[in-house]
Amino acid sequence: MLLLAAAFIVAFVLLLYMVSPLISPSPLKLAGAHVVVTGGSSGIGKCIAIECFKCGAFITLVARNESKLVQAKKEIEKYAINEKQVVICISVDVSKDYRQVENVIKQAQEKLGPVDMLVNCAGMAIAGTFEEIEIGQFTRLMEVNYLGSVYASRAVISTMKERRMGRVVFVSSQAGQLGLFGYTAYSPSKFALRGLAEALQMEVKPYNVYITVAYPPDTDTPGFAEENKSKPLETKLISESSSLCQPEQVAKVIVKDAIQGNFNSSVGSDGYMLSSLTCGMSPVTTITEGLQQVVTMGLFRTIALFYLGSFDSIVRRCMMQKQNCEQASKTD
Ligand SMILES: NC(=O)C1=CN([C@@H]2O[C@H](COP(=O)(O)OP(=O)(O)OC[C@H]3O[C@@H](n4cnc5c(N)ncnc54)[C@H](OP(=O)(O)O)[C@@H]3O)[C@@H](O)[C@H]2O)C=CC1
Ligand SMILES: CCCCCCCCCCCCCCCC(=O)[C@@H](N)CO
């Protein structure tokens, strides 16, 4: 009986491997491709642009600040592998008005041809307790992190479907896979990207267009330094459970996954565990990935329970410390 079951499983796995080319997309060739990177003037976005440029791509950088854009363009151009390669910059706020973003994409396509890959990396983080964060910041984060990605993606998707090719990358965050102290405004804006990505992937898969959602951990960038200025101690301590990465390393992984057409993109062992644990109904792009999710789910949930316990105790300890400080200052 056991033997029969084992034989059945082996046959099943073999069958899955046989049909795997049907679900694995063919890799995108970056040489000569047009890659648009929103948020490409700094941090992770700039490193993604460099990574693509190194592979022979043509780059459009999109961000607000013109001098930062020009600076980034100069830096990226150093990595050229042939004389034809071009980097262009366009200044726009991706979060304000769909028509503006659509125009920017049109301009980029006139200069460098149809977009082969769009990387939605423009974004920002604000950390603070729920009652500390100004009410307008909840709107702002949804506008920049979520709607900014909707607008740029909406502007490229029709052409991608017509050409039966393309990649759209959403840069979410590990804070888009779990909610944690201090991120009541930020986490939802990153969770939203996952919902968008899943729904969109189901629509565009028959057109050979592939979506990638990246979930980076804390990454050493100018944006991260800015966020740290006002980050609650609890958020800092909890985030230390996950590694601090360099933007170059994060960019390498994101570009590799986008080329392959992988839906999930994570960095490091905690990133891997989190993605596996939170895979839910997200599409699977390789058989190996699907099998790993099935096998590791229970184990990773067990590990996660220990993490959750330690997060709760960090929050409780910080609260008690604050109360002690308040009492001490009252009795003084
Ligand atoms: N660093 C980290 O720890 C992590 C970051 N992430 C995510 O990665 C992305 C990049 O982060 P990071 O590299 O740290 O950030 P940076 O602050 O270093 O870079 C952000 C980029 O986005 C641009 N940008 C910001 N707002 C807008 C806007 N409204 N319209 C157009 N462009 C905009 C900025 O240019 P300008 O200001 O000139 O517009 C800049 O080019 C973000 O989405 C972030 O949430 C995810 C996980 C971890
Ligand atoms: C099996 C379970 C494993 C669980 C591991 C849990 C680790 C949680 C750490 C969460 C870190 C959040 C980083 C947010 C980064 C970010 O988006 C901002 N820095 C943006 O600037």
Side-chain angles (χ1 to χ4, degrees), residues 38-46 62-66 68-69 92-96 120-125 140 143-145 148 171-175 183 186 190 193 214-227 231 244-245 247 250:
T38 74
S41 66
S42 168
I44 299 174
K46 185 170 78 182
V62 178
R64 290 163 306 177
N65 185 303
E66 304 219 10
K68 266 186 1 192
L69 276 168
V92 74
D93 184 336
V94 292
S95 70
K96 290 287 181 225
N120 290 293
C121 196
M124 59 191 279
R140 186 69 195 131
E143 280 174 354
V144 180
N145 295 347
V171 180
S172 175
S173 157
Q174 284 189 352
Y183 283 142
Y186 180 67
K190 293 298 184 179
L193 291 174
Y215 302 101
D218 276 340
T219 307
D220 193 5
T221 64
F224 182 60
E226 189 57 39
E227 176 202 356
K231 203 183 246 179
L244 177 68
C245 280
V250 171

Side-chain angles (χ1 to χ4, degrees), residues 161-178:
K161 282 171 76 175
E162 276 161 25
R163 296 174 71 221
R164 298 285 194 276
M165 67 175 290
R167 298 284 192 268
V168 177
V169 180
F170 296 103
V171 180
S172 175
S173 157
Q174 284 189 352
Q177 298 178 301
L178 81 162

Side-chain angles (χ1 to χ4, degrees), residues 33 37 63 70 72 79 103 108 111 152 166 189 196 214 219 224 251 274 281 318:
V37 187
V70 173
Y79 295 90
N103 261 330
K111 288 193 181 133
S189 71
L196 167 65
T219 307
F224 182 60
L274 262 180
M281 283 290 278
C318 288

Side-chain angles (χ1 to χ4, degrees), residues 17 19 54 121 136 154 179 214 227 231-232 277 316:
Y17 270 102
V19 297
K54 278 182 185 169
C121 196
R154 179 69 200 277
E227 176 202 356
K231 203 183 246 179
L277 180 64
R316 222 176 307 117

